[in-house]
Amino acid sequence: MTTPSDGLGAGSPAPVLDRAACVRLDDADPLRSLRDEFLLPPGTIYLDGNSLGARPTGAAERAQEVITEEWGTGLIRSWNDAGWFDLPAKLGEKVAGIVGGGAGTTVVTDTTSINLFKVASAACRIQAADAPERRVILTQRENFPSDIYMLEGLVEQLGDGYEVRLVDDAEVAAGFPNALTDEVAVVVLTHVNYRTGRLFDMAETTAAIHAGGALAIWDLCHSAGALEVDLAGAGADMAVGCTYKFLNGGPGSPAFVWVSEALQTRFSQPLSGWWGHRQPFEMEPSYTPADGIRRYLTGTQGILSMSVAEVGLDVFGRVDMADVRAKSLALSDLFIELVDARLSHHPVEVVTPREHAARGSQVSITHPEGFAVMSALITRGIIGDYREPEVLRFGLTPLYVGYADVWDTVEALREILDDRLWDVPQHKVRGAVT
């Protein structure tokens, strides 16, 4: 953990083992004013922003404006007058600035799963033209299950010898010494592991994938808005991600899709809806894809959810992602330090990597009664979440989580574990924890 004089996230580690020191860190935090940009219930410490971000101030007002004015008064004219038609590209430019995408490379649309299907299909078709013998999609065994399910569905559609193969995280981190064979067409990786918070080096991993003759697709759901991402600089081919976690777009807010400039015109849309047509209002009976990133659109967009998502994205127009990343690391350093110092007499293990270069913006710990422990914590107004097996996840969202929040969370954990407050029936009923 660092002191304010070190600069958040820099300098030599120094123990911070009392709450007063954490309060002083909060007072010196250059991002402190951003906490006022979000609305949380009084007394709540919210550490689940890696599943659903907090509500930005102005979100409800923006939704009301769309409903009562743009829809209620403007009616269908708002597709033009209120800029509805251009929202996917407009928001895409804002996301591109957060993930290092470059102009004209990103659109906000659909869900992460649907966008993954699109880009994975496109990548396989590109490889079918360039290297038809490559028919394997490689992805992490510990990937978020929906990603694996979508890839399985895709290869079933492709048929003709296509298959999904799973690779362990250790193999990925080591640069694919065995898994990246000359059969692999596409590698789909999640940048930050949803369960452990493990971060993979995008530039090095992408280089290894390209050296093996495959295309690289990244899932940024647990990194966009939480740490610095440079898709173009890393040489990535395609990427997808959501806006409802660290980007605070709201429940079920639309996802995004990014494609490198070199591959945009090679895309063949597997879901060829009218919004991706070159001239959508010509109503032609045959499909002609739009030029550039707009061809990744499919059908009519959800304007209400997209408009609300813009409120969360606009917050990032006022922050430097380097500052966000620095605070994220400082918060997670503190969390790990306090767990080591205050919970070591319990069967608790930190499973998130301790090295900064291998850590996202969460801390995950295990306990044999993890589900019940998290349930007990939530009853105190400290909201994290639980993932099998035995993993308690704590998302550290730098825009609204502070150092005193981390102290209070670990202190509550200590009390729950010391006094076995988790050992009551209501905390052991499955299905009550997010």
Side-chain angles (χ1 to χ4, degrees):
M1 186 57 219
T2 57
T3 64
S5 61
D6 292 323
L8 296 178
S12 301
V16 179
L17 299 179
D18 64 80
R19 193 178 191 281
C22 294
V23 171
R24 290 193 294 272
L25 286 172
D26 283 331
D27 290 341
D29 177 12
L31 299 178
R32 181 177 177 81
S33 63
L34 292 172
R35 193 164 187 164
D36 295 333
E37 300 279 351
F38 299 91
L39 299 170
L40 288 167
T44 298
I45 296 176
Y46 191 60
L47 302 176
D48 209 1
N50 54 332
S51 280
L52 174 64
R55 175 162 68 100
T57 59
E61 291 78 4
R62 177 59 182 138
Q64 190 65 36
E65 180 183 29
V66 174
I67 292 170
T68 60
E69 297 179 27
E70 295 178 7
W71 178 19
T73 302
L75 295 168
I76 199 169
R77 293 168 296 181
S78 289
W79 284 107
N80 295 314
D81 296 348
W84 286 357
F85 188 80
D86 295 326
L87 266 181
K90 178 186 176 185
L91 271 60
E93 292 299 297
K94 296 183 180 187
V95 171
I98 297 169
V99 299
T105 59
T106 312
V107 285
V108 170
T109 183
D110 295 326
T111 67
T112 304
S113 295
I114 291 173
N115 287 336
L116 178 60
F117 185 91
K118 295 177 192 174
V119 295
S121 173
C124 286
R125 293 187 187 195
I126 290 169
Q127 289 287 60
D130 296 349
E133 71 282 1
R134 292 178 176 269
R135 298 188 179 186
V136 170
I137 301 176
L138 195 67
T139 193
Q140 296 139 306
R141 191 180 311 278
E142 291 192 46
N143 204 345
F144 189 71
S146 185
D147 285 15
I148 302 175
Y149 304 159
M150 293 303 292
L151 297 175
E152 289 175 338
L154 173 61
V155 299
E156 183 177 346
Q157 297 295 318
L158 293 173
D160 200 21
Y162 280 90
E163 65 175 290
V164 175
R165 290 183 188 169
L166 303 181
V167 59
D168 292 332
D169 281 0
E171 172 91 2
V172 177
F176 304 98
N178 302 305
L180 197 57
T181 67
D182 57 9
E183 301 170 285
V184 177
V186 181
V187 181
V188 177
L189 299 175
T190 294
H191 194 206
V192 175
N193 182 287
Y194 78 99
R195 183 186 284 111
T196 66
R198 181 173 190 167
L199 168 67
F200 295 91
D201 187 302
M202 181 180 290
E204 289 185 4
T205 306
T206 299
I209 292 169
H210 288 168
L215 295 177
I217 299 175
W218 289 92
D219 181 334
L220 305 181
C221 283
H222 286 84
S223 48
L227 51 90
E228 295 170 287
V229 179
D230 186 5
L231 286 168
D237 297 303
M238 302 173 182
V240 297
C242 67
T243 63
Y244 54 78
K245 293 183 172 66
F246 290 100
L247 295 177
N248 308 294
S253 60
F256 62 87
V257 57
W258 173 89
V259 181
S260 67
E261 293 184 19
L263 296 180
Q264 283 187 17
T265 58
R266 299 196 65 189
F267 174 71
S268 180
Q269 170 67 282
L271 302 173
S272 45
W274 77 299
W275 270 56
H277 195 282
R278 181 177 296 175
Q279 297 290 338
F281 293 101
E282 293 297 320
M283 305 300 175
E284 297 176 349
S286 60
Y287 181 78
T288 304
D291 293 328
I293 192 64
R294 225 196 79 214
R295 67 177 59 189
Y296 282 79
L297 299 175
T298 300
T300 305
Q301 306 298 303
I303 296 302
L304 180 56
S305 61
M306 194 167 287
S307 298
V308 173
E310 187 174 14
V311 180
L313 291 175
D314 283 345
V315 176
F316 287 89
R318 303 192 291 276
V319 302
D320 186 326
M321 288 307 301
D323 291 337
V324 174
R325 175 60 169 163
K327 183 179 176 185
S328 166
L329 290 172
L331 288 170
S332 52
D333 280 346
L334 173 62
F335 202 114
I336 293 170
E337 177 186 322
L338 292 174
V339 168
D340 287 344
R342 304 180 69 78
L343 305 182
S344 60
H345 54 298
H346 292 288
V348 169
E349 178 185 358
V350 176
V351 296
T352 300
R354 294 170 185 264
E355 305 85 359
H356 283 186
R359 187 195 311 163
S361 195
Q362 71 184 57
V363 173
S364 295
I365 64 176
T366 60
H367 185 276
E369 298 291 341
F371 183 90
V373 171
M374 181 57 74
S375 297
L377 198 62
I378 289 173
T379 62
R380 293 183 170 213
I382 301 175
I383 303 175
D385 71 7
Y386 174 81
R387 291 292 182 267
E388 296 288 357
E390 301 181 353
V391 177
L392 297 90
R393 299 194 316 167
F394 300 93
L396 302 173
T397 309
L399 301 188
Y400 53 80
V401 172
Y403 299 91
D405 294 331
V406 171
W407 170 273
D408 291 342
T409 298
V410 178
E411 177 63 13
L413 277 169
R414 184 193 62 76
E415 293 176 0
I416 290 168
L417 294 175
D418 282 357
D419 297 335
R420 294 181 64 89
L421 300 179
W422 52 266
D423 195 12
V424 293
Q426 63 263 35
H427 293 324
K428 296 186 175 185
V429 179
R430 298 284 173 157
V433 177
T434 58

